[in-house]
Amino acid sequence: MKWVYPEFLFALLVLVIPILIHLFHFRKYKTIYFSSIAFVKSVEQQQKNPRKIKHLLVLIARMLAFTCLVIAFAQPYFPHSDSSKKDIQLIGVYVDNSFSMSRIGTQGELLAQAKELASSIIDKAPRNTQYVLFTNELSGNEKQTLTQVKFVDQVAKINYSPIYRSKEEVLSFWNQWIEDAQKEGNIKSKPNLIYLSDFQKNKQSNLIKKFKSIPSISPIRLTPQNKGNLFVDSIWFETPIQKLGSAQTLSIRVVNTGNEPIESAVVSVQIGKMKRDLFAEIPSNGSDTVQLNYFNQEAGISKGIVSINDKQMNQDDSFYFNYEVKKSQSVLIVNGEDAVENVGIVYGLDDFYKIKEVSTNQASSEDLEKIDLIVLNGLNQIPSNLTTELANYQDEKESILLIPGTNISPTGWNALLEKLELPVINGTQTIGLAVQKLNLKDPFFHGIFEGKPENISIPAAAKAYRLMPNSKTLSADLINYQNGTPFFVKSTGKGNAYLFSTSLKQEFSTFTSNQLFSTLLLHVGNLSQRQNPYFLVIGSDGSYPLKNTSSSENPVHLINKQVDYIPILFLKNKRQTISVQGLEAIRFLEAGNYNILQDGKSLGTVSMNYNRLESQTAESTQEEIKKDFEQAGIHVNNLQDGSNWNSASLLEIGENYDIWLWFVFFAGIFVLCEMALLIFYKK
């Protein structure tokens, strides 16, 4: 027999007190004055022996009741017969150290409680037990077996990690470890797994796969006191136009996962030197979007941070971003045989646009590298090399405006249109070409008109090309003719491409003399700003293209106040690109704004944020947890709630047999016996 809390057995020393009281009680004598002591002596002699026996029985009943109560608190148990064998017992322990474990439980942060529970496992396990400790890292270093001393030392070193794991990933790691250990002959039996986690629903996908090498599991669910969470979910701009002196609106989405509404949450915003406080009213289990209206008053890169004050999971209380406010924008106009000069005139009216005009045979890949907008003005023939260059250019989400000539070659044009995911040209048309419908619901028209425009004067086209979608087309009609065919189209796929279905020469249309012509061209120019990603999510497949990279062999560094990280670089469309994908980036990067440096030269700024997956704090119930494990073919030994106790020695390691309830029962029996004796004694 073994004890869970053997220290309680010291309380048995208190039994000495009633024994001493009993002994001294019978040594007390009382003087009685009586005329004949012979009669008194006879009466006292008759009553003394029964009284001694009754007092002794009461004493024994009390001592037995107290003894049983002390033993019950010490919690004795009989270990499983296998534990007495000479084979070394092995226990697997998984500690969830994701950010959600930073929430506060009844005894501090959940991770601290999980570490304490993990360390206390050794109190119950046999001395020769070995352990396998692993966390969300699931690395090769966590596959080694540990002694008790090393196990406690490794538990103490566990810290928070931005890596989150599903149950399937954890169980796959443990299942593979058991299979490898059995092949190498290191273990004969299949060890139990103790699973310490808060069991969030968003990372606990339903288990479909069967894990035949995992016989049993002992889950311990750690529950926070406050199950809600307040966090900044995302940010976006009302318009992608970041122009010096232009008005801008920043939208911020704040989410509350708690059951109580938040009437006035302070949302602090800092962009460059500007600081503002906004107030969000967030319903329970809902969200609110607050907006900041301001003007871009400084050119260059603006670093921003949005933050809230929340007592749970501080890792998602801040959101970092950056963007570039440009002084100018470059436009390359490729003029063909039927080019119209109105295109260059429109962009030349605004000093913001820096224009370069070339002919078809002069366009080269070098011209495309630093260009924000390319305009094909009146081309009839599109060479194959130009098609390739434009397709690669658009892969970077750059903007292309296509204006056909009067006598195009459908083969060359359609090859380019297919690559740009636009509808192809299928002949010409001359009937029903009055421009009738503007798709004002499309985001393209946001900010062009004040209110809903009425009675827009647009002349009809005399001749136009018929655009036909195919299986590769990903586009939206912005303006349509009366016959329903498109006049102006934009791509909705991987790039930004715009297409007129008619030539701008007089024999096709008089659209260049209409006010809408210059409005469309300038708006396409505004939307074509080359803007790097506002932020990246650490560990995701996002990427950041670099500008002005040198031929130096020295690495690129991402640097902020706490971190100096060398990212992975890869070539994408002839441009060096930063990747923050993979476990290495998750391990070393922190949320924040980073300067990109190479040889001491700045290559830009990139903003990093943690994944918001764990910010949704809904948790699985005990029934859901048990059902999920059993569906995977794993026996659940004992599903514990770790919120109200701090000792994992209560776990049934090896299916031990607890007998402390019997001692509670016998303690009650002896108390009843004492009461019966006292009642009998009075009578």
Side-chain angles (χ1 to χ4, degrees):
M1 184 171 67
K2 292 188 177 183
W3 311 87
V4 174
Y5 300 110
E7 60 271 15
F8 272 104
L9 296 176
F10 286 104
L12 293 174
L13 296 174
V14 182
L15 294 174
V16 177
I17 297 175
I19 293 174
L20 293 175
I21 293 174
H22 177 78
L23 293 176
F24 283 108
H25 176 75
F26 281 102
R27 289 185 178 183
K28 291 182 178 180
Y29 295 96
K30 185 177 180 181
T31 302
I32 300 175
Y33 297 95
F34 204 75
S35 59
S36 176
I37 61 175
F39 178 75
V40 175
K41 186 176 181 180
S42 176
V43 173
E44 184 178 340
Q45 188 70 32
Q46 292 176 5
Q47 295 181 356
K48 189 173 183 179
N49 290 334
R51 188 183 303 168
K52 283 184 178 181
I53 294 173
K54 291 170 184 177
H55 276 287
L56 183 61
L57 290 175
V58 171
L59 175 65
I60 292 172
R62 286 178 179 175
M63 292 178 64
L64 287 174
F66 186 79
T67 301
C68 290
L69 198 60
V70 171
I71 293 175
F73 275 103
Q75 293 195 19
Y77 67 93
F78 288 107
H80 191 270
S81 58
D82 290 344
S83 63
S84 62
K85 296 181 180 180
K86 295 183 179 180
D87 293 340
I88 296 176
Q89 186 177 356
L90 191 141
I91 300 172
V93 181
Y94 164 69
V95 178
D96 181 2
N97 61 334
S98 59
F99 284 153
S100 65
M101 295 288 286
S102 65
R103 292 179 291 170
I104 305 300
T106 55
Q107 301 173 24
E109 293 185 354
L110 297 184
L111 180 60
Q113 187 175 346
K115 291 165 66 174
E116 185 177 356
L117 289 168
S119 298
S120 66
I121 291 172
I122 62 174
D123 294 338
K124 186 173 182 180
R127 290 184 178 274
N128 63 346
T129 302
Q130 291 188 340
Y131 307 89
V132 178
L133 175 66
F134 56 103
T135 62
N136 288 349
E137 289 283 330
L138 300 185
S139 61
N141 294 331
E142 295 184 328
K143 290 186 176 181
Q144 57 183 325
T145 55
L146 304 172
T147 61
Q148 290 184 356
V149 176
K150 289 185 177 180
F151 176 80
V152 175
D153 182 59
Q154 291 298 320
V155 168
K157 295 179 180 179
I158 296 175
N159 206 347
Y160 293 107
S161 170
I163 305 173
Y164 55 91
R165 299 290 188 181
S166 65
K167 289 200 298 289
E168 184 171 354
E169 290 177 296
V170 174
L171 295 178
S172 295
F173 178 89
W174 180 237
N175 189 80
Q176 188 62 48
W177 189 94
I178 294 175
E179 291 179 355
D180 294 342
Q182 287 178 332
K183 289 179 182 178
E184 296 173 2
N186 295 332
I187 58 172
K188 296 180 180 180
S189 61
K190 295 178 180 179
N192 184 39
L193 174 64
I194 299 172
Y195 198 115
L196 293 154
S197 175
D198 56 354
F199 291 97
Q200 281 187 295
K201 281 188 176 181
N202 53 21
K203 62 183 176 184
Q204 304 299 330
S205 57
N206 292 330
L207 295 173
I208 302 175
K209 180 181 177 181
K210 296 290 185 180
F211 298 93
K212 297 181 179 179
S213 296
I214 303 178
S216 60
I217 192 169
S218 298
I220 303 178
R221 187 180 68 163
L222 297 142
T223 307
Q225 288 181 308
N226 182 3
K227 297 185 179 182
N229 183 32
L230 180 66
F231 64 96
V232 182
D233 181 58
S234 59
I235 62 100
W236 65 93
F237 291 97
E238 192 71 17
T239 172
I241 303 171
Q242 302 290 357
K243 196 173 177 180
L244 187 62
S246 64
Q248 185 57 274
T249 299
L250 173 66
S251 297
I252 304 162
R253 185 171 184 261
V254 186
V255 177
N256 173 27
T257 65
N259 294 325
E260 297 293 332
I262 300 176
E263 295 182 356
S264 184
V266 179
V267 182
S268 299
V269 184
Q270 180 176 352
I271 303 176
K273 298 178 181 179
M274 178 186 65
K275 295 182 180 180
R276 297 285 188 275
D277 284 341
L278 307 174
F279 297 92
E281 185 175 346
I282 316 170
S284 60
N285 295 303
S287 64
D288 187 22
T289 300
V290 294
Q291 293 184 326
L292 173 65
N293 299 313
Y294 66 99
F295 289 90
N296 287 316
Q297 298 179 347
E298 293 184 5
I301 294 177
S302 295
K303 299 178 183 178
I305 176 174
V306 176
S307 57
I308 57 172
N309 187 11
D310 180 35
K311 297 179 181 179
Q312 297 266 26
M313 291 182 61
N314 298 329
Q315 295 84 357
D316 56 11
D317 289 352
S318 298
F319 201 99
Y320 298 88
F321 62 96
N322 77 89
Y323 60 91
E324 184 180 3
V325 178
K326 295 186 176 182
K327 292 182 179 179
S328 62
Q329 188 165 323
S330 56
V331 179
L332 176 65
I333 302 175
V334 182
N335 292 316
E337 301 87 341
D338 295 324
V340 292
E341 61 180 6
N342 304 68
V343 175
I345 293 173
V346 168
Y347 287 114
L349 293 175
D350 193 338
D351 294 337
F352 178 70
Y353 296 103
K354 305 302 179 184
I355 305 170
K356 180 180 180 180
E357 297 192 47
V358 298
S359 60
T360 306
N361 55 5
Q362 292 176 330
S364 63
S365 58
E366 289 77 11
D367 292 326
L368 308 182
E369 289 183 1
K370 299 180 181 181
I371 297 298
D372 297 301
L373 171 64
I374 297 176
V375 181
L376 299 189
N377 183 14
L379 273 69
N380 288 320
Q381 300 285 340
I382 300 182
S384 59
N385 62 329
L386 181 59
T387 297
T388 303
E389 294 291 343
L390 291 175
N392 292 335
Y393 173 83
Q394 202 213 20
D395 285 339
E396 293 295 318
K397 297 187 180 297
E398 313 303 356
S399 296
I400 303 173
L401 176 60
L402 305 173
I403 304 172
T406 59
N407 188 24
I408 67 167
S409 171
T411 303
W413 265 89
N414 287 340
L416 174 61
L417 294 177
E418 284 188 356
K419 288 184 177 293
L420 301 182
E421 299 175 324
L422 288 168
V424 296
I425 295 174
N426 185 18
T428 60
Q429 54 183 343
T430 58
I431 300 175
L433 299 182
V435 176
Q436 186 181 38
K437 180 183 178 183
L438 276 67
N439 185 11
L440 299 176
K441 294 182 180 180
D442 192 276
F444 175 85
F445 288 104
H446 291 175
I448 293 183
F449 306 107
E450 294 183 2
K452 187 175 180 180
E454 296 180 359
N455 301 323
I456 299 177
S457 176
I458 304 176
K463 189 177 181 180
Y465 297 103
R466 184 181 292 107
L467 302 181
M468 298 292 292
N470 57 25
S471 59
K472 298 180 180 180
T473 301
L474 292 172
S475 65
D477 297 348
L478 298 177
I479 304 177
N480 291 85
Y481 294 116
Q482 189 177 18
N483 62 11
T485 59
F487 166 71
F488 187 51
V489 182
K490 76 166 185 178
S491 63
T492 57
K494 58 187 177 181
N496 300 318
Y498 304 87
L499 171 66
F500 284 106
S501 65
T502 182
S503 172
L504 299 183
K505 299 293 282 186
Q506 290 291 329
E507 55 265 34
F508 268 63
S509 72
T510 58
F511 183 61
T512 55
S513 61
N514 190 275
Q515 186 178 1
L516 188 60
F517 169 73
S518 58
T519 301
L520 290 179
L521 262 61
L522 291 175
H523 197 60
V524 168
N526 287 333
L527 295 177
S528 64
Q529 288 186 14
R530 279 197 178 193
Q531 195 68 249
N532 286 325
Y534 297 135
F535 60 87
L536 297 179
V537 176
I538 299 173
S540 70
D541 57 356
S543 59
Y544 186 96
L546 293 176
K547 298 180 181 179
N548 304 321
T549 53
S550 65
S551 58
S552 172
E553 295 182 358
N554 293 327
V556 172
H557 291 256
L558 301 181
I559 298 177
N560 67 5
K561 293 180 180 180
Q562 292 81 25
V563 180
D564 184 348
Y565 176 71
I566 300 176
I568 297 174
L569 297 181
F570 65 96
L571 276 177
K572 185 177 182 181
N573 299 324
K574 302 180 181 179
R575 182 181 294 185
Q576 290 281 355
T577 304
I578 290 175
S579 172
V580 293
Q581 188 177 7
L583 290 180
E584 185 178 4
I586 296 176
R587 290 189 183 105
F588 293 103
L589 286 174
E590 299 177 357
N593 291 316
Y594 289 79
N595 293 319
I596 307 172
L597 299 176
Q598 185 181 36
D599 296 327
K601 179 183 177 182
S602 177
L603 303 180
T605 300
V606 61
S607 300
M608 305 285 187
N609 290 295
Y610 293 123
N611 196 305
R612 264 33 182 185
L613 179 65
E614 282 200 292
S615 299
Q616 298 288 346
T617 53
E619 300 163 352
S620 301
T621 64
Q622 290 191 352
E623 292 75 15
E624 290 172 337
I625 297 170
K626 184 176 181 180
K627 181 181 178 181
D628 212 12
F629 282 126
E630 290 177 346
Q631 283 180 345
I634 304 172
H635 172 69
V636 179
N637 288 334
N638 190 11
L639 180 56
Q640 298 279 0
D641 189 346
S643 302
N644 301 318
W645 46 273
N646 59 3
S647 176
S649 55
L650 294 177
L651 291 172
E652 297 180 0
I653 300 175
E655 298 181 358
N656 301 311
Y657 302 106
D658 296 322
I659 58 174
W660 61 272
L661 285 173
W662 284 103
F663 285 93
V664 174
F665 172 75
F666 283 116
I669 293 295
F670 289 126
V671 169
L672 293 175
C673 291
E674 178 189 353
M675 295 173 62
L677 288 169
L678 292 174
I679 294 172
F680 176 76
Y681 173 76
K682 287 182 178 180
K683 291 183 177 181

